[in-house]
Amino acid sequence: MDWFTQLNPAVQALLGGLLTWGLTVLGASIVFFFRRINQNVMNTMLGFAAGVMIAASFWSLLAPSIDFSEQTGQISWLPPAIGFLLGGFFIRLLDFVVPHLDSGVAEDQAEGPKTGLPKTTLLFLAITLHNIPEGLAIGVAFGAAAIGLGDASLVGALGLAIGIGIQNMPEGAALSVPLRGEGMSRLKAFNYGQLSAIVEPIAAVIGATAVLAVQPIMPYALAFAAGAMIFVVVEQLIPQSQSSGSKDLATLGLMAGFTVMMILDVALG
């Protein structure tokens, strides 16, 4: 662990992002073993992913943002409120300008500009867009740990990366398996699934570099990542997990994911 603490925070964030991408690869690899996944299982996994992101948004991002604001003499609630709303608006802007299609939605209901892109590409873009805030969250968490304000810690940032990685596994499967079910080859479906998370290490480096270069934006950046993740949860993960029945299972999955992330953050933070 000592070698890791000596690394530049941007490199730490890159490795954290690569961890989450690697776990997405693991989730996408399910396509080599199954052509389809039972819908109840998929709904539970998506609910679990939503729970992890909700818990991470508060314990790993919003709570430190409030703490940072207090320690730097700002109004404790103002930077978190501004950053949180800007994060949601950012994802909404991406939804508006980038063509994409959420899983389980009819092709004629694709969001963003009209385009002739195939359905597989639109599905890939949807997952990729919504992985951006997760990468940013990892980056600003490692940046916060490097600055050493409040309760932020390197172990806590690692816990966040592990939690996001765990919830990336069902997301990888949620893309690769349906593509296989539509007739795509296993290898191609796998590649679509695992490549959807390659933006996470990139966004992690951007997030860490930005907050280290301009430290006063730290509370805004933490809350921004939280707002972006909550937007994704409410706009995509929860509706998908409950769109085909099994609402109770999806809700229990959400509660399990929330509990796992809460334990990780409190135990390691």
Side-chain angles (χ1 to χ4, degrees):
M1 185 67 179
D2 287 342
W3 66 269
F4 191 82
T5 62
Q6 303 303 316
L7 296 175
N8 181 282
V11 177
Q12 294 173 344
L14 173 62
L15 294 176
L18 288 173
L19 170 65
T20 63
W21 171 65
L23 290 173
T24 305
V25 172
L26 183 61
S29 68
I30 290 177
V31 76
F32 290 113
F33 307 97
F34 302 99
R35 188 182 182 93
R36 298 187 184 277
I37 296 180
N38 180 276
Q39 192 60 51
N40 289 342
V41 175
M42 181 64 73
N43 291 345
T44 304
M45 291 195 303
L46 289 173
F48 182 92
V52 169
M53 291 179 69
I54 292 171
S57 295
F58 177 73
W59 270 282
S60 298
L61 299 169
L62 279 176
S65 174
I66 294 169
D67 193 28
F68 288 3
S69 299
E70 290 176 343
Q71 291 195 23
T72 54
Q74 302 178 68
I75 300 173
S76 61
W77 54 265
L78 187 59
I82 293 173
F84 186 81
L85 293 173
L86 287 176
F89 285 130
F90 172 71
I91 298 300
R92 178 64 188 96
L93 178 62
L94 289 182
D95 280 350
F96 183 75
V97 301
V98 178
H100 62 282
L101 178 67
D102 290 332
S103 179
V105 177
E107 196 167 353
D108 59 0
Q109 295 180 350
E111 298 183 67
K114 298 299 181 182
T115 176
L117 292 172
K119 181 180 180 180
T120 53
T121 303
L122 293 174
L123 289 168
F124 170 78
L125 286 173
I127 300 293
T128 302
L129 284 177
H130 295 156
N131 278 329
I132 293 174
E134 296 171 15
L136 290 174
I138 293 168
V140 296
F142 278 103
I147 293 173
L149 290 176
D151 295 327
S153 69
L154 184 58
V155 176
L158 282 170
L160 174 63
I162 292 169
I164 289 177
I166 290 172
Q167 68 89 31
N168 271 6
M169 289 192 286
E171 285 192 346
L175 178 58
S176 64
V177 173
L179 292 179
R180 172 61 180 159
E182 292 185 7
M184 184 177 286
S185 71
R186 285 188 172 90
L187 181 60
K188 192 172 182 180
F190 165 75
N191 282 331
Y192 269 100
Q194 60 93 8
L195 284 174
S196 66
I198 199 64
V199 295
E200 291 195 8
I202 298 170
V205 172
I206 292 172
T209 303
V211 297
L212 289 171
V214 191
Q215 292 188 17
I217 72 169
M218 178 65 75
Y220 297 93
L222 286 164
F224 180 94
M229 291 213 299
I230 291 297
F231 188 98
V232 170
V233 168
V234 177
E235 191 255 355
Q236 183 190 28
L237 290 181
I238 291 178
Q240 283 185 20
S241 70
Q242 301 196 359
S243 62
S244 55
S246 306
K247 291 185 177 181
D248 288 344
L249 286 175
T251 302
L252 289 172
L254 186 150
M255 295 182 70
F258 187 97
T259 302
V260 168
M261 188 64 226
M262 177 182 65
I263 292 171
L264 279 174
D265 195 271
V266 174
L268 301 179

